[in-house]
Amino acid sequence: MAKMEKAWVGTWRPHRPRGLIMAQFTSPGPKYSIPGTTGYLVHNPTKTKAPAYTFQRAKPPGADSCSPGPRYYVQPSITRNGKYVAPAQHMGGLPKITTEVTPGPSDYSTDKANQHLYKCAPAPSMAFRHKAVKTDETPGPGTYTLPRLVGPNTAYTHASPCYSMKGKRKHNGFAEDLAKTPGPAAFPKVEVDTYKKRAPMYTMGSKSGIGGDKTVKPGPADYCPGKVTLIKPQAPAPTFGLRHSLYTTPLLSLQ
């Protein structure tokens, strides 16, 4: 242990770094600070500075004052003609009224009094049905039969014309074919090429053989475009370089 302590110089001992060092930054970082754009001091010279205003303190009161000040408060209702009072109504309580109990409208019955003062309308009464005194029975409306008024052979009116519907007959009818000629479906269908110019016709034949030289030719896979040593001194060949360290300080140009 004593030999290891003698190997170090001073109080320095190996330890973990407390933070990043400048060699680990790939950019200038916080080394260069940009001046702010607010305030009056240390303002960014490339930006426009807004106008600044200052607040002055309150003025002291005057030494000579002839007014009584806020000590005396004058009511707004006091005028040069006296005190002004707006018109207002007083709200008082409802006075008590002593009343006696008197009969109401429902305590009186005026139905019987109307019979003595006014003429009464006839009021029939309901009684049992009496037995019929007459024994003869007269015929009802269904007993009589009136002559007919529609159709032929009417009794006292003019009869309207009547028509009858008969069945369709084959002989001497409007649909009878007197010539006995065949219809359009009785004739065979005639081809259009018989009376018009014949349209071109095509047939499907077998695949014919390809003429020419039948020797085997080289395809695209037989060529190697990578071998360019015939026209160039050497084919392109990429190489792998060394890995750069993260602690390398970049070159900064101040121009």
Side-chain angles (χ1 to χ4, degrees):
M1 185 65 180
K3 293 181 180 181
M4 292 297 294
E5 289 180 355
K6 294 179 182 180
W8 312 113
V9 179
T11 60
W12 183 87
R13 295 293 182 272
H15 61 279
R16 299 179 64 87
R18 297 179 181 178
L20 299 177
I21 60 177
M22 292 300 298
Q24 294 179 347
F25 289 101
T26 58
S27 62
K31 182 178 180 181
Y32 302 96
S33 61
I34 300 174
T37 57
T38 58
Y40 181 74
L41 301 176
V42 196
H43 192 275
N44 191 352
T46 60
K47 301 295 182 180
T48 305
K49 186 185 297 183
Y53 304 93
T54 57
F55 293 92
Q56 297 181 358
R57 63 179 182 176
K59 295 182 179 181
D64 299 333
S65 179
C66 61
S67 61
R71 180 180 178 182
Y72 303 97
Y73 177 71
V74 181
Q75 296 292 336
S77 60
I78 302 301
T79 63
R80 62 188 182 91
N81 299 326
K83 187 177 181 180
Y84 173 76
V85 180
Q89 300 294 335
H90 297 280
M91 300 296 293
L94 184 67
K96 295 183 179 180
I97 302 174
T98 58
T99 57
E100 298 179 359
V101 178
T102 57
S106 60
D107 297 333
Y108 300 96
S109 178
T110 59
D111 296 339
K112 298 180 179 180
N114 294 335
Q115 297 179 1
H116 301 281
L117 300 178
Y118 305 101
K119 294 182 180 180
C120 298
S125 59
M126 302 296 293
F128 294 99
R129 185 175 182 180
H130 300 282
K131 294 182 179 180
V133 180
K134 296 181 179 180
T135 57
D136 54 342
E137 296 182 357
T138 57
T143 309
Y144 301 96
T145 303
L146 298 177
R148 61 179 183 178
L149 304 177
V150 181
N153 302 325
T154 57
Y156 58 90
T157 58
H158 295 282
S160 58
C162 301
Y163 303 95
S164 59
M165 302 297 292
K166 294 184 178 180
K168 182 180 179 182
R169 57 182 181 179
K170 297 181 180 181
H171 183 66
N172 295 332
F174 66 93
E176 182 181 2
D177 189 6
L178 302 177
K180 302 295 182 181
T181 56
F187 299 96
K189 183 179 179 181
V190 181
E191 296 294 337
V192 183
D193 297 337
T194 306
Y195 54 91
K196 286 189 176 182
K197 186 177 181 181
R198 184 184 298 273
M201 302 176 64
Y202 304 94
T203 57
M204 301 294 292
S206 60
K207 186 177 180 180
S208 59
I210 302 175
D213 191 5
K214 297 183 179 181
T215 57
V216 180
K217 304 296 188 302
D222 297 333
Y223 299 96
C224 182
K227 298 178 181 180
V228 294
T229 55
L230 299 177
I231 57 176
K232 292 186 178 181
Q234 187 179 358
T239 59
F240 295 93
L242 298 177
R243 182 178 182 183
H244 297 282
S245 176
L246 296 176
Y247 300 98
T248 303
T249 303
L251 180 61
L252 301 177
S253 179
L254 301 178
Q255 294 181 359

